[in-house]
Amino acid sequence: MSVSTTKTSGEQPLPPSYPGRNSGSPPGYDSLFGKIRAAKDGSSGGVDFMKAACSLLLKSIGCTIILGIILAVPIAMIVMGAKYLHDCPAERYIPIYLLVTGCFGTFLTLVGILLRCCTNNEEEETSGGLVALFGVWVVFNVLGGCFMFAWFIAGNVWIYRTKGEFSTDPSADNYCDPTLYWFAFWITTAAYIMTGVSTLCGCICNIVAACCCNE
């Protein structure tokens, strides 16, 4: 007599199934590195790739940190210029130079962050009001950049010609507070250092982009 080996569902329940488990590809991670790789694959050349990569970096959280660091510099200049406004008779324009540069730099940075937040979505970027506002910002930024360049040159003259010629004696006519002076000196010198480093990094990035796009 044959015995049936078929088991009914009532004898032993089957384990529950989990929909979606082990099906399809694993979830992707929308990382910054993945976006840069996608931009590299979709770019038509080194310049196009660099533009896309810079746009991605500007939208990342790292850009927010960098902007915070950049904003700390003009704020420090405002504080130092206001605190030692009358403490440098050897060259009274040094604290004024710090004040004007700090105020202008803070204003430009804050407005730039505000515009970046307003134009975060592509749909908003096409609105007429934001386009007009961005146009005004570009014109103001160009004019402000020309003023800041001339002001920076003047600050270089005031700072570097005073080096070695000021006294730390408060009763002297050529007195200048050393904290104020050396802050202004190194903050100005750091601008030249950062320009050189940025130029070097730009050259390296262009070389790397050209090598990646030629693969």
Side-chain angles (χ1 to χ4, degrees):
M1 183 175 64
S2 62
V3 179
S4 175
T5 58
T6 305
K7 294 183 180 181
T8 63
S9 60
E11 295 177 357
Q12 184 177 352
L14 297 176
S17 61
Y18 299 93
R21 187 175 181 179
N22 298 329
S23 62
S25 59
Y29 296 93
D30 194 15
S31 63
L32 180 61
F33 178 75
K35 292 180 180 180
I36 293 178
R37 288 292 300 272
K40 171 184 173 295
D41 296 335
S43 61
S44 59
V47 177
D48 190 26
F49 169 66
M50 288 301 300
K51 289 181 179 180
C54 290
S55 177
L56 291 173
L57 290 174
L58 287 176
K59 295 178 181 179
S60 66
I61 190 172
C63 179
T64 304
I65 298 175
I66 294 174
L67 285 175
I69 296 174
I70 294 175
L71 190 59
V73 174
I75 291 177
M77 296 177 74
I78 295 174
V79 172
M80 294 295 293
K83 182 178 180 180
Y84 299 100
L85 182 60
H86 304 290
D87 293 336
C88 190
E91 184 50 76
R92 63 187 185 90
Y93 285 108
I94 290 180
I96 297 175
Y97 164 74
L98 293 178
L99 269 175
V100 174
T101 305
C103 292
F104 208 87
T106 302
F107 175 76
L108 290 178
T109 304
L110 290 177
V111 174
I113 295 174
L114 179 62
L115 283 178
R116 188 63 195 174
C117 293
C118 293
T119 60
N120 193 28
N121 298 325
E122 294 182 358
E123 295 180 357
E124 295 178 351
E125 291 179 357
T126 58
S127 62
L130 286 177
V131 171
L133 180 62
F134 188 76
V136 173
W137 162 250
V138 170
V139 174
F140 178 80
N141 202 21
V142 171
L143 296 177
C146 294
F147 167 76
M148 288 301 295
F149 178 76
W151 188 250
F152 178 75
I153 297 300
N156 278 255
V157 175
W158 297 327
I159 293 171
Y160 290 121
R161 77 179 179 184
T162 310
K163 185 176 182 294
E165 298 182 0
F166 69 94
S167 174
T168 57
D169 182 7
S171 61
D173 294 335
N174 61 338
Y175 167 73
C176 188
D177 188 279
T179 303
L180 168 69
Y181 177 80
W182 290 115
F183 176 83
F185 176 85
W186 285 113
I187 206 73
T188 304
T189 304
Y192 289 104
I193 297 174
M194 292 301 297
T195 301
V197 172
S198 300
T199 303
L200 179 61
C201 291
C203 294
I204 294 175
C205 289
N206 286 329
I207 294 173
V208 172
C211 295
C212 291
C213 292
N214 289 333
E215 292 180 356

